[in-house]
Amino acid sequence: SVCPALRTVTYASTSTVALLPLTVGVILVALAVNLLLPLWQHTFAVYPDLTPEGLYTVTERLSKELQFVDEKLSGEVKIIFCADPDMLCSNELTRYIYYTALQMERVRPESVKVSAINVWQNPSAVDAYRIDSHSSIYQSNIIIASGTEFRIYSPSAFYRWDNTGYYGEQVFLQGILAVTQTESPICALTVGHGEAFETEEGRAQYSTLISIIESAGYEVQLLDLSREEIPENCRLILTMDPQTDFLSSFMTDSSVSEIKRLDAYLAEDNAYMIFA
């Protein structure tokens, strides 16, 4: 008779041999996925946003502004990174910027083209973006170009407050507007209701807020809704501490209604901020 312990060992050995091809197959598939996935990502510029806050996903606002640029653009905008994708992805600061650019390309593939060129191996590839023969372009640089116009940025330009705040979308939009000579979107500051923005002293008091709006890519203008139409390129209206009501057709015999103008403006999915 066969010893029970020996029988157990025999069965276990047989099971292990039977499972060996399956185990090897699973390992080979896992290796293939790990090798091919990065290649697939680089080839098709597909980088899923796995961050819980959607850090790399293009916001609705940027998508809308890119559409506006697309309508005015005759050529294309190039976003050129001066290092290999592996190097860009291995550094946290450049990875944020690179992924944002790739998402912009996915949203507007007709007008935004992203590339990564190793300038150490191929320095002549970026000669068109040197101011003169002595100009240096480093692997950390990001170039935004359209036609003969270009801007060169360092990674630190995409961050604020000692690299704790990421403003990639705003900087990309500013750069694209600059190289395409496209009119910047307008932020209108309302006046005529006793707002703080009516006087130079009031505007100086809120100069930091105005500076933040300008750094986000807006051109700041004053707007008197009782006398002026809202500019076609206005994407944001800001009212700061009004002291009187906005005119409506129920309050005046005049045909002008500030409320109706605001209603029509907001019906186009634009933004309005009021502080009181």
Side-chain angles (χ1 to χ4, degrees):
S1 63
V2 180
C3 173
L6 181 59
R7 185 184 294 115
T8 302
V9 171
T10 303
Y11 289 160
S13 300
T14 304
S15 299
T16 302
V17 171
L19 290 173
L20 187 59
L22 178 61
T23 304
V24 172
V26 170
I27 293 173
L28 289 175
V29 169
L31 286 172
V33 169
N34 277 278
L35 290 172
L36 294 177
L37 184 58
L39 178 62
W40 176 72
Q41 287 181 321
H42 293 329
T43 303
F44 298 101
V46 177
Y47 292 85
D49 189 350
L50 302 179
T51 60
E53 65 274 27
L55 188 60
Y56 307 131
T57 301
V58 171
T59 62
E60 228 175 278
R61 183 240 167 175
L62 180 59
S63 179
K64 187 173 182 179
E65 295 303 339
L66 287 175
Q67 182 179 358
F68 171 76
V69 172
D70 205 10
E71 293 168 356
K72 306 287 184 181
L73 192 62
S74 56
E76 66 180 22
V77 175
K78 298 177 182 178
I79 301 177
I80 304 167
F81 291 84
C82 298
D84 291 324
D86 288 343
M87 182 178 292
L88 297 170
C89 295
S90 64
N91 182 291
E92 185 176 8
L93 296 183
T94 56
R95 183 173 67 246
Y96 285 8
I97 304 168
Y98 184 51
Y99 279 19
T100 299
L102 291 174
Q103 292 292 343
M104 290 168 58
E105 184 181 39
R106 290 187 66 187
V107 171
R108 286 286 155 193
E110 310 87 4
S111 54
V112 178
K113 303 297 180 185
V114 178
S115 60
I117 301 171
N118 190 324
V119 295
W120 281 7
Q121 296 177 355
N122 188 13
S124 62
V126 293
D127 280 349
Y129 310 112
R130 301 181 193 274
I131 299 173
D132 54 50
S133 58
H134 301 289
S135 299
S136 297
I137 295 180
Y138 303 99
Q139 284 188 307
S140 58
N141 287 144
I142 300 102
I143 302 170
I144 301 176
S146 180
T148 58
E149 292 291 323
F150 65 90
R151 300 290 186 275
I152 301 176
Y153 297 88
S154 65
S156 60
F158 292 81
Y159 295 86
R160 299 287 187 276
W161 306 315
D162 299 325
N163 292 339
T164 57
Y166 177 58
Y167 287 80
E169 286 195 359
Q170 291 93 324
V171 176
F172 272 125
L173 181 58
Q174 280 181 297
I176 290 172
L177 292 173
V179 301
T180 57
Q181 304 292 312
T182 306
E183 186 181 359
S184 297
I186 291 171
C187 171
L189 312 179
T190 64
V191 295
H193 313 89
E195 295 97 333
F197 295 135
E198 288 190 351
T199 63
E200 288 187 12
E201 294 80 5
R203 292 192 290 274
Q205 181 183 356
Y206 292 100
S207 59
T208 302
L209 174 60
I210 294 174
S211 177
I212 291 172
I213 293 170
E214 290 175 333
S215 69
Y218 289 99
E219 176 188 342
V220 175
Q221 294 184 6
L222 300 181
L223 174 65
D224 186 340
L225 284 165
S226 67
R227 301 180 180 181
E228 303 169 283
E229 294 288 347
I230 299 173
E232 183 181 354
N233 192 28
C234 183
R235 298 289 181 269
L236 171 64
I237 294 178
L238 177 60
T239 298
M240 178 63 72
D241 197 20
Q243 302 301 307
T244 60
D245 292 332
F246 286 81
L247 297 177
S248 71
S249 55
F250 300 104
M251 298 166 55
T252 177
D253 296 332
S254 171
S255 58
V256 174
S257 172
E258 294 177 296
I259 300 299
K260 283 186 178 180
R261 284 177 175 172
L262 285 171
D263 281 343
Y265 163 81
L266 290 172
E268 298 296 325
D269 294 327
N270 293 307
Y272 178 43
M273 300 172 65
I274 179 167
F275 297 88

